[in-house]
């Protein structure tokens, strides 16, 4: 029997669309497993598909639930004002409409770009989420703003040559150009910005082969979407918007996390001008991290004994579409796990650390995001986001006020990449509590004393927190009902990385729409429908949806099933070294056992063979 959390199969997608008939027309934004709730998982769950239909060319989506077990449509709800994430069909509509538009051609002609250049594909057109700024075009439309880049050759880096000054508003549902704004001409930068080997000769030669061999194969097993490795057990799936989702993560038969994903992310730009000030793409909710997943190839993205899982989505016409090798699973050596040289006894014991890596890479326009979940032998989990790809650029003859020059005539606006991880924690069972732990000097003492001070976050409004490295601040997810051998409640702690919060003013458009990023931590009681930090439909949203709305009820967080929402990211002040392609920058956090085990849980890890000769 298929596990209730196994993703929909191609046949199930097809059947769900068949059962919906005319209610699944004309476009499909999403077909996913309607994930069973926790109580359904305990009591037996039917197979259901959740289908998001785009019924017309304007605003409004239709949400349908289809029971595959009972072969019937369970519910259909129309959400009148919502817009789906940008559809591929819509993006293509916008590109074709604009390339054929007289005002756009005139704007290009003012820059010496001819109609022949446009029809030869030398103008790369990038549709962007339009945002919400109170402009008339936004009303009742699925809107995109489109900007252009010049390519002499099809394989050129278009971002080296922004066609500055021109922004087009296109109704992408109807394929109708609404307005072409021309804010004035800036010369196209001279550089090629190529990262291709042929343009970067000579290649360095001293790098000798570094090979990872695992002659006996990997140490993990995969059954469907269930992975087991070194006492860890977890299931994985891919959501079109959230990307990789972890389910039912446990260690040694004890639950840690029920569900984890990046439920939203946003890239707000810090330039207030008309050409870049509207850029604040919600790369999860307005594009879709899963929809943009790369097909990973052996030996290129990962080293060693790699196993892959394909992902099956529905295309926008409801047909199953396989994304091959979308999820990568492998093991990595990670230096030493622990060591001690006992000088008096003359013994040295050392163990190697190793981690299981479950990853995927999404390409969202110019940027690449690699999402790497790590599972360590000592019970630590970690999410590392690797940011790479190409920065969003602008042509500039001198340094703009809110951008950095990265090449002659080329600048990149200051921006942030803010992610929100939704962590449905189940530390040793469903009932958990969250404590903020600050390490502080003893009050009223003028000596060397300091100690951790833990404050229980009792309700939602008190649980909106920011990181504070001066206090070594962490958050502990405690199960008050389960005690370890030292009679302390078992816990995991969330260890933040170095992270900003949103820099845009909270009253600004992106401040309202991406309120999740104004705090690093939010905690809510588990509610199955509360899944996306900026609401289910952030595209052209007015703001206020998701976390600010739910937490305004100030629900209790005491001895209940809690969900943590951790917002983190990077403030990116572009460097010359980030051009033309960005060396990976990292962001993330860890979940570390804290009294979950009674002692170091890795004493049973054997010494590696190559070290045995050296230990006594
Ligand atoms: Cu960046």
């Amino acid at each position: 029997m298929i596990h209730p959390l196994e993703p929909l199969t191609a046949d199930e997608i097809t059947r769900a669309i068949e059962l919906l008939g005319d209610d699944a027309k004309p476009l499909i934004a999403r077909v996913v497993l309607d994930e069973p709730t926790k109580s359904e998982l305990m009591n037996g769950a039917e197979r259901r598909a959740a289908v998001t239909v785009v019924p017309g060319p304007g605003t409004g989506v239709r949400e349908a639930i289809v029971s595959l077990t009972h072969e019937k449509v369970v519910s259909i709800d129309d959400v009148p004002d919502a817009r789906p994430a940008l559809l591929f069909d819509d993006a293509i509509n916008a590109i074709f409409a604009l390339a054929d538009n007289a005002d756009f051609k005139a704007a290009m002609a003012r820059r010496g770009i001819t109609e022949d250049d446009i029809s030869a594909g030398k103008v790369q057109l990038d549709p962007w989420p339009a945002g919400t700024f109170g402009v008339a075009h936004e009303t009742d439309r699925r809107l995109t703003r489109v900007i252009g880049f010049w390519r002499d050759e099809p394989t050129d880096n278009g971002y080296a040559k922004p066609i500055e000054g021109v922004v087009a508003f296109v109704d992408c549902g109807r394929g109708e150009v609404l307005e072409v704004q021309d804010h004035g001409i800036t010369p196209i930068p001279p550089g090629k910005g190529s990262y291709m080997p042929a343009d970067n000769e000579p290649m360095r030669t001293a790098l000798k082969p570094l090979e990872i061999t695992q002659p006996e194969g990997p140490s993990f097993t995969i059954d469907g979407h269930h992975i087991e490795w070194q006492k860890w057990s977890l299931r994985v799936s891919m959501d079109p918007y959230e990307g990789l989702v972890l389910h039912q993560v446990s260690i040694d038969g004890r639950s840690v996390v029920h569900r984890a994903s990046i439920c939203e992310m946003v890239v707000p730009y810090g330039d207030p001008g008309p050409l870049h000030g509207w850029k604040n793409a919600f790369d999860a909710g307005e594009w879709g991290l899963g929809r943009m997943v790369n097909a990973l190839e052996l030996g290129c993205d990962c080293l060693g004994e790699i196993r892959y899982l394909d992902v099956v989505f529905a295309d926008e016409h409801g047909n199953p579409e396989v994304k091959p090798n979308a999820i990568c699973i492998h093991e990595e050596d990670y230096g030493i796990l622990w060591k001690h040289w006992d000088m008096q006894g003359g013994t040295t014991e050392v163990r190697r650390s190793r981690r299981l890596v479950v990853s995927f890479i999404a390409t969202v326009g110019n940027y690449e995001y690699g999402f790497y979940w790590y599972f360590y032998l000592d019970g630590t989990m970690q999410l590392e986001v690797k940011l790479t790809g190409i920065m969003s650029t602008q042509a500039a003859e001198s340094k703009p006020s809110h951008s950095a020059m990265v090449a002659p005539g080329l600048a990149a606006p200051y921006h942030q990449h803010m992610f929100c991880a939704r962590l449905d924690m189940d530390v040793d069972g469903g009932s958990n509590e969250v404590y903020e732990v600050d390490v502080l000097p003893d009050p009223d003492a003028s000596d060397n004393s300091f100690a951790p001070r833990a404050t229980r976050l009792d309700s939602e409004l008190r649980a909106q927190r920011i990181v504070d490295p001066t206090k070594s601040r962490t958050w502990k997810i405690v199960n008050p009902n389960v005690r370890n051998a030292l009679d302390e409640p078992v816990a995991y702690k969330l260890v933040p990385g170095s992270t900003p919060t949103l820099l845009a003013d909270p009253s600004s458009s992106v401040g309202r729409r991406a309120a999740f990023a104004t705090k690093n931590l939010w905690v809510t009681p588990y509610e199955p429908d509360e899944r996306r930090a900026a609401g289910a439909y952030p595209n052209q949203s007015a703001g206020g949806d998701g976390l600010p709305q739910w937490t305004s009820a100030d629900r209790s967080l005491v001895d209940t099933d809690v969900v943590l929402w951790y917002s983190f990211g990077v403030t990116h002040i572009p460097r010359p070294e980030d051009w033309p392609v960005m060396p990976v920058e990292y962001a993330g956090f860890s979940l570390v056992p804290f009294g979950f085990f009674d002692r170091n849980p890795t004493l049973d890890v054997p010494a590696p063979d190559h070290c045995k000769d050296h230990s006594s």
Side-chain angles (χ1 to χ4, degrees):
M1 205 187 81
I2 192 164
H3 188 278
L5 289 171
E6 278 290 313
L8 292 183
T9 64
D11 287 347
E12 286 177 321
I13 289 171
T14 301
R15 189 70 190 126
I17 297 300
E18 280 170 5
L19 287 165
L20 277 168
D22 285 346
D23 283 322
K25 291 194 168 63
L27 291 175
I28 304 291
R30 173 185 88 128
V31 184
V32 295
L33 177 73
D34 183 37
E35 289 175 23
T37 62
K38 288 186 188 181
S39 63
E40 286 178 310
L41 280 170
M42 276 185 285
N43 301 315
E46 60 175 337
R47 297 282 289 172
R48 288 186 306 258
V51 182
T52 307
V53 181
V54 185
T59 55
V61 299
R62 176 176 297 146
E63 293 176 340
I65 302 291
V66 181
S67 169
L68 296 158
T69 308
H70 299 111
E71 295 263 309
K72 62 169 192 185
V73 176
V74 177
S75 63
I76 293 185
D77 290 303
D78 283 304
V79 189
D81 296 322
R83 290 150 176 104
L86 274 162
L87 299 168
F88 297 121
D89 269 39
D90 280 11
I92 290 164
N93 278 348
I95 289 168
F96 276 97
L98 188 59
D100 199 34
N101 175 266
D103 291 342
F104 181 71
K105 288 177 189 170
M108 292 301 105
R110 288 193 285 277
R111 290 160 173 79
I113 297 170
T114 66
E115 286 193 31
D116 284 349
D117 292 333
I118 297 171
S119 38
K122 294 193 171 192
V123 176
Q124 168 193 337
L125 294 174
D126 281 14
W128 275 66
T132 305
F133 295 92
V135 299
H137 303 311
E138 292 165 2
T139 313
D140 300 332
R141 295 178 189 276
R142 301 206 298 271
L143 187 68
T144 178
R145 298 197 198 205
V146 186
I147 51 178
F149 302 87
W150 175 258
R151 288 182 185 236
D152 280 316
E153 300 293 331
T155 55
D156 277 357
N157 176 4
Y159 302 109
K161 296 184 181 292
I163 301 169
E164 197 71 17
V166 181
V167 186
F169 289 81
V170 184
D171 178 331
C172 49
R174 298 181 180 88
E176 187 186 324
V177 178
L178 304 170
E179 183 186 357
V180 177
Q181 293 182 347
D182 190 341
H183 296 276
I185 297 169
T186 305
I188 290 179
K192 197 173 175 201
S194 173
Y195 48 89
M196 300 302 218
D199 293 312
N200 289 285
E201 295 290 353
M203 292 279 119
R204 55 179 84 184
T205 54
L207 286 168
K208 305 290 187 235
L210 193 163
E211 283 165 9
I212 309 292
T213 57
Q214 295 178 266
E216 296 173 34
S219 319
F220 54 81
T221 58
I222 304 177
D223 177 17
H225 289 70
H226 179 230
I227 304 169
E228 286 192 347
W229 179 80
Q230 291 295 305
K231 305 184 188 183
W232 286 101
S233 166
L234 61 139
R235 307 192 65 87
V236 296
S237 67
M238 184 75 79
D239 180 88
Y241 305 116
E242 299 165 275
L244 183 66
V245 182
L246 308 180
H247 307 268
Q248 296 185 321
V249 181
S250 66
I251 186 163
D252 223 358
R254 299 165 64 192
S255 60
V256 179
V257 182
H258 180 70
R259 189 183 189 282
S261 68
I262 292 291
C263 71
E264 194 48 87
M265 68 165 289
V266 65
V267 187
Y269 285 74
D271 181 324
L275 291 166
H276 304 279
W278 50 271
K279 289 181 174 176
N280 45 55
F282 288 65
D283 285 345
E286 291 184 325
W287 277 118
L289 299 174
R291 294 167 75 214
M292 304 297 184
V293 70
N294 290 189
L296 301 169
E297 285 171 310
L298 190 70
C300 289
D301 293 325
C302 304
L303 283 174
E305 285 289 317
I306 315 295
R307 300 292 181 268
Y308 294 101
L309 291 172
D310 294 347
V311 163
V312 186
F313 285 145
D315 69 15
E316 289 171 6
H317 302 278
N319 305 305
E321 181 182 36
V322 177
K323 307 267 189 182
N325 290 2
I327 302 172
C328 174
I329 301 147
H330 75 290
E331 289 172 284
E332 284 177 359
D333 180 272
Y334 196 61
I336 62 166
L337 171 63
W338 54 262
K339 176 173 184 169
H340 186 59
W341 170 30
D342 180 52
M343 294 170 83
Q344 195 164 331
T347 60
T348 301
E349 290 293 326
V350 63
R351 301 293 182 270
R352 296 295 298 177
S353 179
R354 193 191 290 205
R355 61 190 185 188
L356 173 72
V357 187
V358 185
S359 67
F360 79 106
I361 297 179
T363 300
V364 188
N366 47 299
Y367 248 100
E368 258 78 11
Y369 300 103
F371 296 88
Y372 293 74
W373 282 100
Y374 301 128
F375 300 86
Y376 294 86
L377 297 170
D378 71 350
T380 296
M381 283 174 65
Q382 180 188 0
L383 174 66
E384 185 170 74
V385 185
K386 301 186 185 183
L387 299 91
T388 178
I390 305 176
M391 294 180 296
S392 181
T393 51
Q394 68 188 109
E397 290 182 283
S398 60
K399 185 195 166 313
S401 57
H402 294 83
S403 307
M405 296 305 293
V406 295
L410 186 73
Y414 308 145
H415 60 277
Q416 296 188 288
H417 303 261
M418 297 301 301
F419 306 87
C420 184
R422 180 183 180 275
L423 304 167
D424 179 354
M425 300 298 294
D426 269 11
V427 176
D428 239 344
S431 263
N432 287 176
E433 292 173 342
V434 181
Y435 286 77
E436 180 165 279
V437 183
D438 287 347
V439 186
L440 300 166
D442 287 359
D444 306 321
S446 51
D447 55 16
N448 60 308
S449 58
F450 64 87
R453 229 53 47 84
T455 308
R456 193 171 67 183
L457 304 177
D458 283 352
S459 69
E460 288 177 298
L461 293 177
R462 271 175 282 178
Q464 297 172 4
R465 312 298 304 164
I466 57 171
V467 298
D468 189 346
T470 65
K471 299 182 170 69
S472 304
R473 177 170 291 169
T474 56
W475 294 287
K476 230 158 111 172
I477 306 101
V478 171
N479 188 325
N481 309 304
V482 180
R483 295 194 168 253
N484 62 24
L486 304 168
D487 202 30
E488 298 278 353
V490 297
Y492 259 70
K493 68 175 175 180
L494 169 58
V495 182
S498 145
T499 181
T501 50
L502 191 74
L503 290 166
D505 191 86
S507 69
S508 65
S509 172
V510 69
R512 294 192 309 274
R513 298 175 61 222
F516 69 87
T518 62
K519 307 286 178 192
N520 296 118
L521 182 77
W522 306 66
V523 189
T524 59
Y526 168 75
E527 188 57 57
D529 292 338
E530 295 178 1
R531 288 267 292 270
R532 307 271 301 285
Y537 299 102
N539 190 10
Q540 293 182 253
S541 66
D545 295 340
L547 283 171
Q549 188 192 342
W550 305 324
T551 58
S552 66
D554 200 21
R555 293 167 293 187
S556 169
L557 302 171
V558 177
D559 199 3
T560 189
D561 190 357
V562 293
V563 177
L564 280 73
W565 309 72
Y566 178 63
S567 297
F568 65 99
V570 165
T571 299
H572 191 174
I573 304 302
R575 314 171 288 162
E577 291 88 342
D578 291 333
W579 185 254
V581 64
M582 202 182 128
V584 165
E585 179 157 2
Y586 300 89
F589 64 92
S590 297
L591 289 165
V592 178
F594 201 103
F596 188 81
F597 300 107
D598 295 333
R599 65 186 64 77
N600 180 342
T602 64
L603 301 181
D604 58 352
V605 174
D609 285 344
H610 72 268
C611 290
K612 274 182 181 152
D613 295 342
H614 308 293
S615 60
S616 38

